[in-house]
Amino acid sequence: MTPSPLERLYESNEIDDTQLFCGLFLPASLFDVFQISFSNSTSKGTDRLNSFQFAPRALQELSLASAKCINGTYRFAPYLEVLKTKGRDKNPRLIGIPTIRDRVILAQLNRFLAAVYPERVPRNVASKYVRTIADDLQTRTGRSTWICSTDIKTFYDSIERPRLLKHLTKQIKCGAALKLVRHALLTPTVPQNTHRSRHSEYREETGVPQGLAISNILASIYMQPVDDAMQTYGVHYYRYVDDVLMYGNHSKVQSAFKSLAGRLKRRGLGLHPLNSNKTQIVKLGSPFGYLGYFFKEEIITVRDSTVERFLHSIAAKFSDFKHNKFRRLEKFRYLTEARLCEIFLMELNERITGAVRGQKRYGWIAYFNQINDLSLLHRLDHSIRALFTRLPEFNNQAPVGLKSLRRAYWEMRFNTTGGYIRNYDEIKTKTQKLEFLQHRGRIADDEILTDEQIDARYERYVHNVLSAMHADEGAVYG
């Protein structure tokens, strides 16, 4: 994120954090955030408004919100509860979806926190941590190097709010900013259609709500004293959200693990017990996992359970095609069976290769592009091809146009703009969006839409595609 002139003034100590906050929360600043980041959003909060429905009243709503943020009286609407599955025998992850108005406020609050705590802004995606670690471990020997991999139990849900707010007051002097953070933390996450009178039943005493723009940086700020202390133990220490990896000589790793457990306990957090499937201390060369990856000597691959989840998500697409074909032909009478097959293959190929939007890479192969176990990709390609034996519409065999994880792996690493991987950044004009929607069977050839309807339908479709890819990424495996 490029610093604005206002943020550069703060960096150079020409203005204080109150002036920074007031500048970021001016009506014009908030409206710019809406226009740039949320004007095409299809998600809805508890007010059931997407960005297209909010747009006509955006300037008025955000002007009122600006005044309330600056005078410390702004209140967030309850977040809408969405449950994200983490697999069998695991509790789902509870995500809160704010209203469009609140998403604008939270995005700007995140920008304020990032300016005040630049050192707590993540600089690398998870896969880059994996590459750094893998390169370093190749220079070490198993005789002198021990690995500790562990993770923090119920990380976001266990953060103690009073301690977090006290920590924030040490660096933030702007009272309005502190009040805004506090109310963001206190706002409950409620199931859909929950009556206003029952909102208080869902208010939690501890934790940082997940899914907010400020969730990650607040958790990082909370962990700052721990992270700083762990740098003094003579081990290599990496923490990515709740996943922790340390390595060094045996005694220092043991000492660091005990210290980490103690420091977390004093902050209401805890590690999974030693020698469980979540925590282990092993010699270099022994298998261990980190961030969904699996290390075994010189091989970097993917955990078996993670591979199974990905294959299950691909198989689910085949089942959906098979069992809902006739319903779709009835609903979309302008489509033929041949067109349905064509669309299914296009969507399947995109799920295999991943996609790019906003210069961000999405999908399973994008997240796991640091593996060197290319035999895994061969096995997965074989499994996907075998799924076509269930589909007589494809003559029970994989079609010629089916893409592969093997090639997507190299294209995603070195040639994302080469055409093999869908780049949504190249679709900009209304004409391009319309042609794309027609190609994907989302608009009948004779259907007439306004520019606003084209934007809305395009954004809704792309949002659904990228959301499915995000669900395949390693970030959901914790």
Side-chain angles (χ1 to χ4, degrees), residues 359-407:
Q359 298 183 345
K360 179 182 176 182
R361 303 176 184 193
Y362 289 84
W364 194 86
I365 203 68
Y367 182 85
F368 289 107
N369 63 11
Q370 299 301 331
I371 67 171
N372 59 20
D373 179 15
L374 302 187
S375 65
L376 169 65
L377 303 183
H378 286 265
R379 295 195 301 273
L380 286 171
D381 282 333
H382 177 78
S383 296
I384 293 171
R385 294 180 69 84
L387 290 171
F388 277 95
T389 60
R390 306 178 186 179
L391 299 183
E393 296 85 354
F394 289 86
N395 297 320
N396 303 105
Q397 60 183 352
V400 173
L402 178 65
K403 293 187 176 182
S404 75
L405 286 160
R406 288 168 294 174
R407 180 172 172 186

Side-chain angles (χ1 to χ4, degrees), residues 311-348:
L311 276 179
H312 185 270
S313 76
I314 296 294
K317 282 195 66 66
F318 280 79
S319 278
D320 177 70
F321 174 79
K322 182 176 181 179
H323 296 299
N324 293 310
K325 181 181 72 173
F326 293 111
R327 182 185 63 81
R328 289 194 175 101
L329 289 172
E330 181 68 22
K331 182 178 180 180
F332 305 107
R333 293 185 177 275
Y334 56 88
L335 295 179
T336 64
E337 182 174 301
R339 280 285 288 132
L340 275 184
C341 290
E342 181 184 358
I343 293 164
F344 169 75
L345 182 59
M346 285 189 290
E347 293 182 339
L348 175 64

Side-chain angles (χ1 to χ4, degrees), residues 51 170 447 458:
S51 64
K170 295 178 181 179
E447 192 173 357
Y458 174 80

Side-chain angles (χ1 to χ4, degrees), residues 449-469:
L449 300 177
T450 65
D451 286 352
E452 291 75 17
Q453 288 172 325
I454 292 171
D455 281 338
R457 197 172 297 190
Y458 174 80
E459 291 299 331
R460 189 180 305 115
Y461 178 78
V462 174
H463 171 77
N464 290 336
V465 168
L466 298 183
S467 293
M469 290 184 191

